[in-house]
Amino acid sequence: MTSQEEHTDSSVIKVSQMGRIRRITFNRPQKLNAFTREMTEDFFSAIEDAVGDDGTHVIVLSGAGRAFSSGFDISDSSGGSDTSDAARDMTGNRQRVGRWLDLWSCPKPLIGQVHGYCLGMANEILACCDFALCGESTRIGMPEAREFALPPTLAFWPLRIGAARAKELLFTGRLIDGMEAVALGLAIEQTPDEDLSARVDEVAAAIAEVPIDRLSVVKQAVNSWDERMGLRAAALGGAEYHALFHQSSTWDAVRTGARSK
């Protein structure tokens, strides 16, 4: 992909290139960029393509329309783990967590550009970014943890923002705005929504000046601190808690369609 060239890998994942910056945009705005399994596969394929492109030094993740992403679309019943069987569910969850950890270990800098809702699974994507900038409309949270879902890595919140704050947000389901996200360390700055894309491009351009091999070494060196504190083991262990959560009667009602989606 050449500079300033743009194409769409799929109808729900848009890919564009500006110099050394690859932008991957979630493009399902009518559903607030809720992920289906097909969309998830397209997303990881786009990441793989960006990693394999020597001309790409920085990857930016963003959402079209009114939100970054509202998480996983629970109305999508195609494939996936059998949540009625705890053992099979845990196996499927471990595979999912493995993919998040691969994204976390992506050798190229990942920048999150967040506006509007960032819910549920979207927080796991955000957690795998090296850092994020957010707009004034940003609302981050995992309200589903009160009822029917528990993202297995917990968006690395216990390590990123501390156990007490992670518990408070999961227990209450409260959404935080951009300023609080910055204060907690989930984002590095808040910018007016209308200026957000330009500001992210500015930051990405500064990073893209650095040779990619140096960027990769710096990223791995910093990530090693979190991994030595147990991030990888805790994330994999989250697959078991995710499966346990699915054994609740509330989740069973969601899975069988007994509740409104």
Side-chain angles (χ1 to χ4, degrees):
M1 186 182 294
T2 60
S3 177
Q4 300 186 15
E5 178 184 355
E6 179 173 322
H7 71 270
T8 302
D9 287 340
S10 74
S11 61
V12 290
I13 296 292
K14 289 180 59 179
V15 178
S16 62
Q17 187 88 12
M18 181 64 71
R20 295 174 172 178
I21 303 168
R22 178 74 58 95
R23 182 177 286 273
I24 298 174
T25 303
F26 314 141
N27 189 39
R28 202 179 175 221
Q30 73 279 11
K31 293 292 186 178
L32 296 179
N33 300 319
F35 273 70
T36 62
R37 289 184 172 85
E38 180 181 2
M39 183 175 171
T40 303
E41 293 302 317
D42 289 344
F43 167 64
F44 280 108
S45 292
I47 291 290
E48 184 177 354
D49 184 64
V51 170
D53 177 27
D54 292 339
T56 295
H57 286 208
V58 183
I59 304 168
V60 175
L61 306 181
S62 61
R66 296 184 293 116
F68 179 70
S69 171
S70 57
F72 186 75
D73 187 346
I74 63 172
S75 67
D76 176 29
S77 59
S78 61
S81 302
D82 179 5
T83 58
S84 65
D85 184 294
R88 292 180 183 175
D89 190 18
M90 186 168 62
T91 298
N93 293 336
R94 280 186 169 272
Q95 293 173 345
R96 286 179 53 201
V97 172
R99 298 186 86 175
W100 294 131
L101 290 172
D102 286 344
L103 185 62
W104 157 262
S105 301
C106 169
K108 297 183 178 181
L110 287 171
I111 300 176
Q113 178 182 310
V114 183
H115 74 291
Y117 288 118
C118 177
L119 306 177
M121 169 184 153
N123 284 289
E124 297 197 282
I125 295 175
L126 182 61
C128 294
C129 291
D130 296 294
F131 59 82
L133 288 79
C134 58
E136 291 176 328
S137 65
T138 296
R139 297 294 182 271
I140 294 173
M142 290 190 254
E144 68 274 25
R146 286 168 57 88
E147 283 193 272
F148 61 84
L150 185 70
T153 73
L154 297 179
F156 306 155
W157 279 0
L159 186 60
R160 282 174 166 255
I161 66 177
R165 185 60 72 189
K167 289 175 184 176
E168 185 261 326
L169 292 178
L170 292 168
F171 289 163
T172 66
R174 181 171 68 86
L175 303 185
I176 64 174
D177 61 19
M179 290 302 294
E180 187 171 2
V182 172
L184 291 176
L186 295 178
I188 61 169
E189 65 179 74
Q190 176 182 277
T191 303
D193 283 8
E194 60 269 23
D195 300 327
L196 180 59
S197 183
R199 176 58 181 149
V200 169
D201 285 345
E202 180 182 7
V203 174
I207 296 172
E209 295 174 356
V210 181
I212 189 60
D213 55 346
R214 297 179 191 174
L215 291 172
S216 180
V217 170
V218 169
K219 176 168 181 172
Q220 292 177 55
V222 176
N223 279 9
S224 71
W225 285 71
D226 285 341
E227 296 204 11
R228 284 186 170 91
M229 287 189 285
L231 179 144
R232 187 170 293 270
L236 288 169
E240 301 172 14
Y241 293 107
H242 193 55
L244 180 62
F245 202 103
H246 282 162
Q247 298 311 299
S248 73
S249 58
T250 304
W251 169 255
D252 188 63
V254 173
R255 180 178 58 82
T256 58
R259 336 176 6 108
S260 170
K261 295 177 181 178

